[in-house]
């Protein structure tokens, strides 16, 4: 067990900003996890588990505790019949490689989430989703260390409190569970339409009429590579704001003023507005903000990019400019998707 002291957290966020972790250690297995938690206890240090940092923005003050970097690896096919297969994947595995592994087995269910950066263990935290699919559609159960009761537990899908880009791990039980593995049930049948609008458009434009997990994965990867910056090369956290939900009256009032507004109905009878459209229409597509060193990505205004920002406060200042303009124009308050840590 190697515990490092005063480690820069910028390398542990794809936005590449933030102060230091007082302590940081890699975790390779369940035993190490327990040992590290036990080590932190007498010092009363807060403990957090992270993956690749693709959904984290660290504060400039850093984290006055122990950061555990998840390296718990392994995956296995647990069971299969004619219709489905059950896979167990440990939480330190790369999410996209896991999707590729499942697709190679001709399994359907998570191909829409191809190329989402990060680890398997973080996927349940915000119920990762893309192109009309989300993790909760396929997750059977997960295994976690419950730091409140000091025991390993299994949580079934319905116990995870999943909703759009959220779960109990991000809300009521934030920081309580360290996710060790997930178990997925995937189908042996091919994906069926209706597909997400932009995905269907891509499939039509490219003359792809045979829908398999492989063709869908390839299409999603191509769309994403053309639209989103690669976090290995460009510092960013993907979509910076979630799509706001408003009642239909408000949506219709906005549509009367902005006929090209992009939105779609939710299952509870309200309307979700495309946050990217709001940010772009507010004049922030491909904007470079010299005072803060921040920018929005030219192909997708929803992605905030760190060009030469030095502090997280620079990023937050730029975010505030966007929030202000969007609220002024549309009377809609955008919610940030990546977590600002530590929470205060
Ligand atoms: C270019 C880009 C595109 C993206 N596109 C999408 C997208 O289409 N859809 C989408 O949903 N997200 C997207 N994201 C966000 C991000 O990829 C996901 O949220 C991903 O699941 C984060 O994985 P991570 O390993 O980097 O988690 P981290 O950022 O390291 O952690 C995120 C949160 O999960 C917690 N956590 C991490 N691992 C564990 C664990 N094992 N147990 C308990 N808690 C844990 C952390 O404490 C933190 O609170 C995108 C990000 C980028 C940079």
């Amino acid at each position: 067990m190697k515990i490092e002291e005063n480690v820069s957290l910028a390398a542990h966020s794809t936005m590449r900003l933030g102060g230091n972790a007082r302590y940081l250690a890699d975790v390779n297995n369940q035993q190490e996890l327990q040992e590290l938690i036990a080590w932190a206890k007498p010092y009363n240090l807060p403990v957090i588990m992270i993956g690749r940092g693709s959904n984290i923005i660290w504060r400039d003050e850093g984290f006055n505790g122990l950061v555990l970097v998840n390296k718990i690896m392994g995956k296995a096919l647990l069971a299969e019949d004619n219709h489905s297969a059950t896979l167990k994947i440990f939480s330190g595995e790369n999410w996209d490689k896991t999707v590729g592994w499942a697709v190679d087995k001709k399994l359907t269910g998570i191909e829409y989430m191809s190329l989402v950066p990060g680890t398997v263990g973080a996927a349940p935290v915000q119920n990762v989703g893309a192109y009309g699919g989300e993790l909760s559609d396929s997750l059977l159960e997960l295994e976690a260390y419950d730091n409140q009761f000091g025991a390993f537990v299994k949580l079934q899908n319905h116990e995870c409190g999943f909703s759009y880009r959220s779960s109990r791990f991000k809300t009521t039980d934030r920081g309580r569970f360290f996710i060790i593995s997930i178990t997925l049930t995937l189908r042996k049948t091919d994906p069926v339409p209706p597909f997400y609008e932009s995905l269907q458009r891509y499939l039509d434009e490219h003359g792809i009429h045979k829908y398999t997990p492989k063709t869908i994965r390839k299409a999603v990867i191509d769309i994403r590579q053309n639209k989103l910056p690669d976090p290995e090369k460009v510092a960013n956290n993907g979509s910076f704001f979630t799509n706001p939900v408003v009642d239909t009256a408000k949506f219709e009032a906005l549509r009367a003023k902005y006929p090209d507004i992009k939105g779609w109905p939710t299952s509870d009878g309200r309307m979700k507005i495309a946050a990217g459209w709001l940010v772009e229409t507010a004049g922030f597509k491909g904007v470079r903000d010299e005072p803060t060193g921040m920018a929005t990505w030219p192909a997708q205004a929803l992605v905030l990019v760190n060009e030469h920002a030095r502090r997280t406060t620079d990023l937050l200042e730029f975010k505030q400019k966007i929030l202000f303009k969007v609220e002024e124009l549309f009377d809609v308050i955008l919610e940030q998707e990546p977590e600002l840590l530590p929470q205060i």
Side-chain angles (χ1 to χ4, degrees), residues 20-315:
N20 284 357
R22 184 155 164 214
Y23 299 103
L24 183 139
D26 285 352
V27 181
N28 295 291
N29 52 51
Q30 282 150 275
Q31 194 190 329
E32 275 185 14
L33 175 65
Q34 281 180 298
E35 285 170 9
L36 285 159
I37 291 170
W39 176 85
K41 207 166 186 135
Y43 304 106
N44 228 356
L45 288 172
V47 181
I48 186 174
M49 185 176 246
I50 64 163
R52 266 294 288 123
S54 47
N55 215 27
I56 294 176
I57 295 160
W58 298 105
R59 290 182 190 274
D60 293 319
E61 297 77 15
F63 186 78
N64 188 17
L66 171 63
V67 175
L68 302 177
V69 182
N70 186 4
K71 301 278 170 72
I72 306 174
M73 306 304 234
K75 47 183 183 274
L77 173 68
L78 289 188
E80 63 181 321
D81 59 21
N82 289 338
H83 312 286
S84 66
T86 305
L87 308 175
K88 178 171 177 170
I89 308 112
F90 283 87
S91 54
E93 291 285 344
N94 175 278
W95 170 258
D96 181 58
K97 283 197 179 132
T98 301
V99 177
W101 179 64
V103 165
D104 285 346
K105 293 183 185 302
K106 300 189 171 58
L107 296 172
T108 295
I110 52 174
E111 61 284 356
Y112 303 105
M113 288 158 274
S114 292
L115 221 61
V116 171
T119 54
V120 162
V125 175
Q126 80 150 359
N127 185 20
V128 290
Y131 296 96
E134 52 186 10
L135 178 79
S136 55
D137 300 336
S138 307
L139 186 122
L140 180 69
E141 61 179 24
L142 60 79
E143 220 178 334
Y145 183 77
D146 181 347
N147 201 24
Q148 187 174 322
F149 291 102
F152 288 97
V153 291
K154 270 189 182 169
L155 298 174
Q156 303 303 306
N157 183 313
H158 71 271
E159 294 173 296
C160 295
F162 287 128
S163 60
Y164 166 65
R165 297 291 189 277
S166 190
S167 72
R168 69 187 286 189
F169 313 113
K170 202 175 173 181
T171 53
T172 47
D173 284 315
R174 167 190 288 277
R176 171 174 163 189
F177 295 100
F178 299 142
I179 297 166
I180 304 297
S181 70
I182 66 171
T183 304
L184 303 175
T185 302
L186 301 176
R187 298 183 303 281
K188 288 192 172 173
T189 48
D190 282 336
V192 281
F195 297 124
Y196 201 74
E197 196 189 321
S198 55
L199 176 58
Q200 186 66 63
R201 199 168 46 243
Y202 177 97
L203 295 168
D204 294 343
E205 280 170 10
H206 289 78
I208 300 164
H209 305 297
K210 189 165 166 42
Y211 307 136
T212 67
K214 195 172 173 183
T215 57
I216 299 294
R217 172 168 165 80
K218 202 167 166 294
V220 168
I221 289 178
D222 205 24
I223 297 171
R224 292 185 71 107
Q225 282 176 337
N226 281 309
K227 207 174 76 173
L228 297 171
D230 176 354
E232 297 297 326
K233 297 181 186 139
V234 178
N236 81 97
N237 280 119
S239 301
F240 200 83
F241 302 106
T242 51
N243 296 319
V245 177
V246 297
D247 58 41
T248 43
K250 164 118 191 174
F251 186 79
E252 288 312 326
L254 282 170
R255 182 147 59 187
K257 207 166 168 194
Y258 303 96
D260 63 337
I261 188 170
K262 281 200 189 122
W264 53 97
T266 60
S267 53
D268 62 357
R270 296 188 296 159
M271 289 297 287
K272 199 177 265 182
I273 309 179
W277 181 89
L278 292 169
V279 176
E280 186 176 336
T281 311
F284 282 96
K285 192 174 182 181
V287 161
R288 303 177 92 157
D289 189 61
E290 278 309 317
T292 59
M294 293 295 303
T296 51
W297 191 242
Q300 171 55 281
L302 198 49
V303 177
L304 270 57
V305 169
N306 168 12
E307 289 198 323
H308 56 83
R310 284 179 297 116
R311 295 160 309 156
T312 301
T313 42
D314 294 330
L315 159 66

